Amino acid sequence: MAYLDINNISAAPVMGRAAERRQMTAPASFSPIEWSVIALAKRDRISSLSEPSRLSRAFGSLFGLGTASHLAEPRLETLRRLAVHAWKRGYALPASEVALFLKAGFTMGQAETLVASVTGGQVGQLAWRIAA
């Protein structure tokens, strides 16, 4: 249910409490390309999240070993980083990675959907399990 504020005629209609609850509990989702980034993150290691040292780059170029490359789109790279943690550690996500995820424009609901989809868990358990 909505009402119109007559005192402020240019104001937008306000949702009722039931509509607000439905909106808050609606499952957050990702675009198809974001789901593919999540799926590709399954094969990445935690070590792919850190920058390679000069020594490892030298050995890599000497022996023909490639280094893990990051995604060109910063928002998708942030998603990949959180997805790697989710695949490897489940609900024990680093708080710094969650903060970067939220700063990139994602929501906590999307973080819960991500972790639940890769672990088979239920949505709504993330808030109390973020690792310090």
Side-chain angles (χ1 to χ4, degrees):
M1 178 190 301
Y3 75 94
L4 183 61
D5 185 5
I6 296 175
N7 295 331
N8 188 2
I9 199 67
S10 63
V14 178
M15 288 187 291
R17 289 187 181 172
E20 286 177 358
R21 265 188 252 119
R22 277 195 305 273
Q23 187 178 25
M24 288 176 57
T25 59
S29 190
F30 295 101
S31 69
I33 194 163
E34 291 169 341
W35 279 119
S36 63
V37 167
I38 293 167
L40 289 173
K42 183 176 184 177
R43 63 182 172 92
D44 292 343
R45 296 183 179 140
I46 294 287
S47 61
S48 72
L49 303 179
S50 61
E51 290 293 322
S53 67
R54 290 177 61 193
L55 184 61
S56 72
R57 281 190 300 229
F59 277 122
S61 63
L62 182 64
F63 295 110
L65 304 172
T67 59
S69 59
H70 301 296
L71 297 176
E73 173 65 37
R75 188 169 191 267
L76 293 178
E77 175 60 20
T78 303
L79 174 63
R80 183 190 76 86
R81 293 178 64 84
L82 194 71
V84 168
H85 283 290
W87 279 111
K88 304 303 179 199
R89 297 181 178 159
Y91 284 98
L93 299 175
S96 60
E97 290 295 331
V98 174
L100 290 173
F101 184 78
L102 296 174
K103 187 177 179 184
F106 294 103
T107 64
M108 189 57 91
Q110 287 176 314
E112 291 176 352
T113 301
L114 165 65
V115 176
S117 68
V118 301
T119 62
Q122 294 180 352
V123 176
Q125 299 177 2
L126 181 64
W128 57 273
R129 291 193 132 185
I130 296 174

